[in-house]
Amino acid sequence: MKTRTKVIILLVIVLLIALIPLFALKGAEFGGSDDAGSQVVNEITGGDYQPWFTPVMESWIGGELPGEIESLLFCVQTGIGVGIIAFVMGRLVERNKKEKTKSGKSGDSGDSNIAIG
Amino acid sequence: MKKKQKIALTVSAVIALALGVVPAAGAMHIMEGYLPVAYCIAWGVICIPFLVAGWFSIKKTLTGHRKSITILAMTGAFIFVLSSLKIPSVTGSCSHMTGTGLGAILFGATAVSILGIIVLIFQAILLAHGGLTTLGANTFSMAIAGPLVSLGIYKLSKVLKINKHVGIFLAAALGDLFTYCVTSVQLALAYPSAQGGVATSAVKFLAVFAPTQVPLAVIEGLLTVVIIFGLETYAKNELTEIGFLKVG
């Protein structure tokens, strides 16, 4: 099987695994599993556990981080990561292209035959 | 040739898209202030030798193979992306991946501890996710124990002559799962159950984390294989330099 086909199949599986719960479990809350973790802590200690330290950000802004801002910051994190990956990948792809042109194989190195070492 | 670039674009687009469909929610590192002080310090101390070893390991890789810095940056970025994506799971709650398997396979387990702690500090300070007091414990589970397991499984699958990409999938997926097992044990050690002690407590925490994490571990394994495909295609030189691909 060609690498490209494999990559596409893998990505489709990834999307399916990620999306199916959303549709299969209608009305589920999809809260974080650390909330569930806190509940277990409460259950075991038999009471409402009070964390002894508040996250620095929450003490800076004097309250819980608003949901929208939290997702913004998560986006920033993703953005930084995707940015770097895309930049590096772009460079590598271009470099490959140039090397192939140099070695004079550019004409027939078709799109589909991505070689694996 | 354009199609190859398209693949790279598609990969990044899919990752970005996946973000868009994920409902925002809390997640899974040990929460700020949830570990007793003694445990915070103990886990922190345990991490130090790994971090020092990681620092030297990265230095050695970079002085030996200057070019591999781009791949290192990419594995770091991979951790950034994966640990920011909160994915809905079959249990009806969300969790996120670790992304540490890739780095462990390419650069060794200790190197990942440095990359991992950067992400954890970022999340602890800005996102109130995980925490500064629990940084040691979280670093141990996500950036040390997980990667060690990943590397171990990768090496084992090499010895057993399992298909390389299957091996990488298993390494990344099981490393991810193991991170959550360690988290459960860490919580259990701090909160032993009144009846049954640490073991009962660990099972309780595992029951919360594990079912949520299994599908995500599979996703992490698949994405790691995808990135490896990409690198094998476009960065053969670098991979050969850091010893991932054999020469010839």
Side-chain angles (χ1 to χ4, degrees), chain A:
Chain A
M1 211 192 308
K2 290 192 179 101
T3 309
R4 187 150 52 101
T5 330
K6 278 191 209 161
V7 167
I8 291 169
I9 292 174
L10 290 181
L11 288 179
V12 169
I13 299 174
V14 166
L15 275 185
L16 284 180
I17 298 176
L19 290 181
I20 282 175
L22 202 55
F23 296 101
L25 305 171
K26 287 206 172 70
E29 246 177 65
F30 290 112
S33 61
D34 73 345
D35 296 341
S38 333
Q39 281 161 21
V40 179
V41 170
N42 287 342
E43 193 188 310
I44 288 173
T45 53
D48 205 4
Y49 183 82
Q50 284 302 320
W52 58 276
F53 193 89
T54 28
V56 279
M57 194 67 176
E58 286 182 9
S59 40
W60 286 341
I61 60 173
E64 214 164 283
L65 201 59
E68 294 298 322
I69 311 298
E70 192 186 344
S71 48
L72 167 75
L73 287 168
F74 265 101
C75 283
V76 171
Q77 191 189 337
T78 321
I80 295 171
V82 171
I84 295 173
I85 292 180
F87 175 75
V88 172
M89 252 347 233
R91 268 188 54 183
L92 293 174
V93 170
E94 278 305 307
R95 186 190 65 184
N96 241 40
K97 191 172 148 189
K98 270 193 186 146
E99 273 170 11
K100 277 206 177 133
T101 324
K102 249 188 212 164
S103 56
K105 285 178 196 161
S106 62
D108 56 358
S109 68
D111 298 316
S112 49
N113 59 346
I114 302 168
I116 316 176

Side-chain angles (χ1 to χ4, degrees), chain B:
Chain B
M1 210 56 82
K2 269 187 183 158
K3 277 186 188 160
K4 285 186 187 172
Q5 294 163 26
K6 267 187 199 161
I7 297 173
L9 255 180
T10 320
V11 172
S12 47
V14 165
I15 293 171
L17 260 180
L19 175 83
V21 297
V22 173
M28 94 318 156
H29 297 301
I30 300 179
M31 301 68 75
E32 187 81 283
Y34 259 84
L35 274 188
V37 188
Y39 287 91
C40 298
I41 298 170
W43 288 116
V45 170
I46 293 175
C47 291
I48 291 172
F50 289 96
L51 289 170
V52 172
W55 180 255
F56 285 123
S57 146
I58 287 181
K59 247 187 155 176
K60 197 179 140 213
T61 312
L62 288 187
T63 42
H65 319 283
R66 191 78 205 129
K67 272 191 194 159
S68 64
I69 193 166
T70 49
I71 309 295
L72 186 70
M74 215 166 135
T75 52
F78 189 68
I79 300 176
F80 247 74
V81 175
L82 259 62
S83 63
S84 73
L85 294 178
K86 283 176 288 195
I87 314 272
S89 181
V90 284
T91 52
S93 63
C94 283
S95 187
H96 64 77
M97 298 166 277
T98 61
T100 50
L102 178 72
I105 292 165
L106 293 178
F107 291 97
T110 52
V112 180
S113 64
I114 299 283
L115 300 176
I117 203 171
I118 296 173
V119 179
L120 286 169
I121 291 174
F122 182 97
Q123 292 194 329
I125 294 180
L126 291 180
L127 295 168
H129 178 64
L132 289 177
T133 55
T134 51
L135 186 65
N138 287 331
T139 305
F140 184 80
S141 63
M142 177 176 137
I144 294 171
L148 275 176
V149 167
S150 291
L151 190 64
I153 289 171
Y154 175 64
K155 290 212 161 133
L156 186 72
S157 68
K158 248 184 176 174
V159 173
L160 296 176
K161 297 215 162 36
I162 297 172
N163 175 297
K164 189 167 82 183
H165 294 119
V166 175
I168 291 168
F169 167 76
L170 288 175
L174 293 175
D176 179 303
L177 258 188
F178 190 70
T179 297
Y180 287 82
C181 297
V182 171
T183 304
S184 302
V185 173
Q186 284 172 332
L187 280 170
L189 283 173
Y191 300 104
S193 169
Q195 316 91 17
V198 175
T200 319
S201 188
V203 171
K204 267 191 192 163
F205 282 113
L206 263 181
V208 174
F209 289 124
T212 311
Q213 200 58 28
V214 170
L216 300 198
V218 174
I219 295 182
E220 165 152 9
L222 296 175
L223 285 179
T224 306
V225 173
V226 167
I227 290 280
I228 291 281
F229 273 140
L231 289 178
E232 278 175 342
T233 311
Y234 297 114
K236 259 187 226 156
N237 294 344
E238 281 85 353
L239 290 188
T240 316
E241 265 188 19
I242 58 174
F244 178 74
L245 288 180
K246 297 237 164 56
V247 189

